[in-house]
Amino acid sequence: MAKITFITKDQEEIIVEATSGSVMELAVKNNVTGIDGDCGGVCSCATCHVQVDPSHVSKTGEASEIEQDMLELDDDANEYSRLCCQLQITDAMDGVVLNVVK
Ligand code: FES
């Protein structure tokens, strides 16, 4: 079980728990503002862009090459950016804080 905190653009804090699936699916299911998941999770829309809290990067690991290519097209991307459809929920993700970009 992993507890995941989303912080929206409006500074709303949404805390949800799950055991599996992608973080994008979890966010959409819980109506997290700013996470749309338009491409259904195939890493081609960037509507699931989040920035990992800098102290939690070890929980999420690094973006894949295809993910980095997609993020390069987004002006708001930085070194902490991830597409959360590419983040799988595992116990290792417990406690992670994700800032929603849009
Ligand atoms: S849902 Fe489209 S890139 Fe993540």
Side-chain angles (χ1 to χ4, degrees), residues 11-98:
Q11 300 304 309
E12 184 189 2
E13 197 175 272
I14 301 168
I15 301 172
V16 286
E17 287 186 331
T19 50
S20 62
S22 81
V23 173
M24 178 277 282
E25 288 165 354
L26 182 69
V28 169
K29 201 165 81 186
N30 287 281
N31 300 313
V32 175
T33 307
I35 303 288
D36 295 332
D38 285 348
C39 75
V42 296
C43 202
S44 65
C45 70
T47 63
C48 65
H49 184 184
V50 294
Q51 288 168 350
V52 180
D53 183 283
S55 63
H56 295 168
V57 169
S58 62
K59 295 180 192 289
T60 58
E62 300 283 315
S64 67
E65 205 167 311
I66 184 172
E67 191 180 341
Q68 284 176 10
D69 287 349
M70 195 68 220
L71 283 165
E72 272 175 22
L73 304 173
D74 192 321
D75 290 342
D76 298 319
N78 70 14
E79 63 192 296
Y80 303 110
S81 290
R82 294 297 307 266
L83 296 175
C84 69
C85 64
Q86 304 302 302
L87 293 174
Q88 292 301 309
I89 299 165
T90 64
D91 289 351
M93 290 277 281
D94 187 40
V96 75
V97 176
L98 303 171

